[in-house]
Amino acid sequence: MAEFPRHQLSRQHFLNGKRIADSDQVAGAWRTYEFNVSSAVKPGTNVLAVQVWAPTENSLAITFVDWNPAPPDKNMGLWREVYLTTSGAVALRHPAVLSRVDSPGNKAAHLTVTALVKNASDHPVHGTVKGRIENIEFAQPVELAAGESKDVVFTPGQYPQLNLSNPRLWWPAQMGTPNMYELKLSFEVNGEVSDSSHTRFGIREITSEVTEPAPNRAKRLFKINGKNILIRGGGWTPDMMLRQTPERLADEFNYVHDLGLNTVRLEANSKPRNSSRWPTSKASW
């Protein structure tokens, strides 16, 4: 698979002279695209060619304002790394954990685990999605038709082991420790691992409610894990040339923390591809 995390206004994609995607498959600057390049990739050196052009005012592109001026080329082209990933017949994508916390006591949490499985082969595949969170294990058989993609869901109702007692909760800055867990998932076929993933996540539940009316409008109260939180933060704009390094990211988070803020409103182009780059010792919302 070739993964294109994000790019600005591209139409044609070629690998070793073979077209792997065109404008019917690629639109907008914010999405992550993944193409099956098994028929085009070869051992040794490979050549990728992408046709790009500058966006116009009507394009689904990165936009700029007076306080964030546009570079001369309007950031056309690739602005995140391109990756080649390998797997067996079935790939595992987009693992996630949704959590519900029994507030206000917070003595229990209920987790829902989800992932997308994609069969890239031309024949049906029978396999098993297996998961592990610390000492908690769970598994589910999955049948995929040729070329089929399917969401696999583990709910706490069907898998009681996903109901946790005395969980280590994730808290934002100034409210506690941003505790993290690790989720390990794999897809196995006949005892062999076709693909696997490792993801870090925090157990938390964010809610909001409308409280007493204010003049000509209502007020909205936000809560995290059953406790009131005052949102203190602002917008976060990236480097004009969309350059990003782990060092700069850590410095910016330290600035946010030292200012006493607990929230970062992300521009879509600010988030790193690899969530492990996010600092957790000084976590914001």
PDB file of all heavy atoms in Angstrom, residues 15-29:
ATOM      1  N   LEU A  15       3.287   5.363 -10.325  1.00  0.00           N
ATOM      2  CA  LEU A  15       4.377   4.635  -9.697  1.00  0.00           C
ATOM      3  C   LEU A  15       5.037   3.767 -10.756  1.00  0.00           C
ATOM      4  O   LEU A  15       4.374   2.914 -11.367  1.00  0.00           O
ATOM      5  CB  LEU A  15       3.871   3.764  -8.545  1.00  0.00           C
ATOM      6  CG  LEU A  15       4.948   3.000  -7.768  1.00  0.00           C
ATOM      7  CD1 LEU A  15       5.936   3.958  -7.108  1.00  0.00           C
ATOM      8  CD2 LEU A  15       4.316   2.091  -6.713  1.00  0.00           C
ATOM      9  N   ASN A  16       6.321   4.068 -11.005  1.00  0.00           N
ATOM     10  CA  ASN A  16       7.065   3.359 -12.050  1.00  0.00           C
ATOM     11  C   ASN A  16       6.345   3.413 -13.394  1.00  0.00           C
ATOM     12  O   ASN A  16       6.311   2.444 -14.153  1.00  0.00           O
ATOM     13  CB  ASN A  16       7.309   1.900 -11.632  1.00  0.00           C
ATOM     14  CG  ASN A  16       8.140   1.805 -10.363  1.00  0.00           C
ATOM     15  OD1 ASN A  16       9.061   2.588 -10.148  1.00  0.00           O
ATOM     16  ND2 ASN A  16       7.800   0.840  -9.519  1.00  0.00           N
ATOM     17  N   GLY A  17       5.750   4.576 -13.673  1.00  0.00           N
ATOM     18  CA  GLY A  17       5.080   4.793 -14.948  1.00  0.00           C
ATOM     19  C   GLY A  17       3.666   4.277 -15.036  1.00  0.00           C
ATOM     20  O   GLY A  17       2.989   4.505 -16.043  1.00  0.00           O
ATOM     21  N   LYS A  18       3.170   3.606 -13.993  1.00  0.00           N
ATOM     22  CA  LYS A  18       1.808   3.078 -14.001  1.00  0.00           C
ATOM     23  C   LYS A  18       0.918   3.959 -13.128  1.00  0.00           C
ATOM     24  O   LYS A  18       1.257   4.247 -11.981  1.00  0.00           O
ATOM     25  CB  LYS A  18       1.784   1.643 -13.472  1.00  0.00           C
ATOM     26  CG  LYS A  18       0.398   1.012 -13.501  1.00  0.00           C
ATOM     27  CD  LYS A  18       0.436  -0.447 -13.085  1.00  0.00           C
ATOM     28  CE  LYS A  18      -0.942  -1.082 -13.172  1.00  0.00           C
ATOM     29  NZ  LYS A  18      -0.923  -2.523 -12.825  1.00  0.00           N
ATOM     30  N   ARG A  19      -0.210   4.391 -13.685  1.00  0.00           N
ATOM     31  CA  ARG A  19      -1.108   5.260 -12.922  1.00  0.00           C
ATOM     32  C   ARG A  19      -1.769   4.471 -11.803  1.00  0.00           C
ATOM     33  O   ARG A  19      -2.369   3.413 -12.034  1.00  0.00           O
ATOM     34  CB  ARG A  19      -2.176   5.866 -13.827  1.00  0.00           C
ATOM     35  CG  ARG A  19      -3.044   6.894 -13.089  1.00  0.00           C
ATOM     36  CD  ARG A  19      -3.860   7.726 -14.047  1.00  0.00           C
ATOM     37  NE  ARG A  19      -4.782   6.913 -14.807  1.00  0.00           N
ATOM     38  CZ  ARG A  19      -5.563   7.380 -15.784  1.00  0.00           C
ATOM     39  NH1 ARG A  19      -5.476   8.656 -16.123  1.00  0.00           N
ATOM     40  NH2 ARG A  19      -6.385   6.575 -16.420  1.00  0.00           N
ATOM     41  N   ILE A  20      -1.683   4.996 -10.578  1.00  0.00           N
ATOM     42  CA  ILE A  20      -2.281   4.328  -9.428  1.00  0.00           C
ATOM     43  C   ILE A  20      -3.467   5.104  -8.863  1.00  0.00           C
ATOM     44  O   ILE A  20      -4.220   4.572  -8.047  1.00  0.00           O
ATOM     45  CB  ILE A  20      -1.232   4.114  -8.316  1.00  0.00           C
ATOM     46  CG1 ILE A  20      -0.616   5.445  -7.877  1.00  0.00           C
ATOM     47  CG2 ILE A  20      -0.164   3.141  -8.780  1.00  0.00           C
ATOM     48  CD1 ILE A  20       0.328   5.319  -6.694  1.00  0.00           C
ATOM     49  N   ALA A  21      -3.664   6.373  -9.295  1.00  0.00           N
ATOM     50  CA  ALA A  21      -4.811   7.161  -8.835  1.00  0.00           C
ATOM     51  C   ALA A  21      -4.969   8.372  -9.730  1.00  0.00           C
ATOM     52  O   ALA A  21      -4.004   8.869 -10.311  1.00  0.00           O
ATOM     53  CB  ALA A  21      -4.630   7.598  -7.383  1.00  0.00           C
ATOM     54  N   ASP A  22      -6.229   8.845  -9.837  1.00  0.00           N
ATOM     55  CA  ASP A  22      -6.485  10.060 -10.598  1.00  0.00           C
ATOM     56  C   ASP A  22      -7.485  10.927  -9.837  1.00  0.00           C
ATOM     57  O   ASP A  22      -7.764  10.694  -8.661  1.00  0.00           O
ATOM     58  CB  ASP A  22      -6.975   9.736 -12.005  1.00  0.00           C
ATOM     59  CG  ASP A  22      -8.232   8.858 -11.996  1.00  0.00           C
ATOM     60  OD1 ASP A  22      -8.979   8.886 -10.995  1.00  0.00           O
ATOM     61  OD2 ASP A  22      -8.464   8.136 -12.991  1.00  0.00           O
ATOM     62  N   SER A  23      -8.034  11.936 -10.520  1.00  0.00           N
ATOM     63  CA  SER A  23      -8.893  12.917  -9.857  1.00  0.00           C
ATOM     64  C   SER A  23     -10.202  12.319  -9.352  1.00  0.00           C
ATOM     65  O   SER A  23     -10.873  12.919  -8.513  1.00  0.00           O
ATOM     66  CB  SER A  23      -9.191  14.081 -10.814  1.00  0.00           C
ATOM     67  OG  SER A  23      -9.798  13.597 -12.011  1.00  0.00           O
ATOM     68  N   ASP A  24     -10.587  11.154  -9.857  1.00  0.00           N
ATOM     69  CA  ASP A  24     -11.799  10.512  -9.339  1.00  0.00           C
ATOM     70  C   ASP A  24     -11.581   9.939  -7.944  1.00  0.00           C
ATOM     71  O   ASP A  24     -12.543   9.664  -7.220  1.00  0.00           O
ATOM     72  CB  ASP A  24     -12.240   9.385 -10.281  1.00  0.00           C
ATOM     73  CG  ASP A  24     -12.740   9.905 -11.615  1.00  0.00           C
ATOM     74  OD1 ASP A  24     -13.192  11.071 -11.647  1.00  0.00           O
ATOM     75  OD2 ASP A  24     -12.660   9.167 -12.615  1.00  0.00           O
ATOM     76  N   GLN A  25     -10.328   9.750  -7.568  1.00  0.00           N
ATOM     77  CA  GLN A  25     -10.006   9.152  -6.277  1.00  0.00           C
ATOM     78  C   GLN A  25      -9.386  10.133  -5.297  1.00  0.00           C
ATOM     79  O   GLN A  25      -9.282   9.825  -4.110  1.00  0.00           O
ATOM     80  CB  GLN A  25      -9.022   7.980  -6.487  1.00  0.00           C
ATOM     81  CG  GLN A  25      -9.577   6.864  -7.345  1.00  0.00           C
ATOM     82  CD  GLN A  25      -8.487   5.950  -7.845  1.00  0.00           C
ATOM     83  OE1 GLN A  25      -7.808   6.230  -8.834  1.00  0.00           O
ATOM     84  NE2 GLN A  25      -8.290   4.840  -7.153  1.00  0.00           N
ATOM     85  N   VAL A  26      -8.978  11.292  -5.777  1.00  0.00           N
ATOM     86  CA  VAL A  26      -8.265  12.254  -4.929  1.00  0.00           C
ATOM     87  C   VAL A  26      -8.962  13.602  -5.026  1.00  0.00           C
ATOM     88  O   VAL A  26      -9.132  14.144  -6.124  1.00  0.00           O
ATOM     89  CB  VAL A  26      -6.791  12.400  -5.355  1.00  0.00           C
ATOM     90  CG1 VAL A  26      -6.085  13.423  -4.482  1.00  0.00           C
ATOM     91  CG2 VAL A  26      -6.088  11.058  -5.291  1.00  0.00           C
ATOM     92  N   ALA A  27      -9.380  14.157  -3.884  1.00  0.00           N
ATOM     93  CA  ALA A  27     -10.003  15.480  -3.846  1.00  0.00           C
ATOM     94  C   ALA A  27      -9.754  16.102  -2.492  1.00  0.00           C
ATOM     95  O   ALA A  27      -9.985  15.480  -1.459  1.00  0.00           O
ATOM     96  CB  ALA A  27     -11.513  15.377  -4.117  1.00  0.00           C
ATOM     97  N   GLY A  28      -9.270  17.336  -2.490  1.00  0.00           N
ATOM     98  CA  GLY A  28      -9.069  18.045  -1.230  1.00  0.00           C
ATOM     99  C   GLY A  28      -7.691  17.823  -0.646  1.00  0.00           C
ATOM    100  O   GLY A  28      -6.972  16.879  -1.006  1.00  0.00           O
ATOM    101  N   ALA A  29      -7.316  18.723   0.283  1.00  0.00           N
ATOM    102  CA  ALA A  29      -5.959  18.718   0.838  1.00  0.00           C
ATOM    103  C   ALA A  29      -5.865  18.053   2.194  1.00  0.00           C
ATOM    104  O   ALA A  29      -4.764  17.887   2.718  1.00  0.00           O
ATOM    105  CB  ALA A  29      -5.464  20.165   0.954  1.00  0.00           C
TER     106      ALA A  29
END
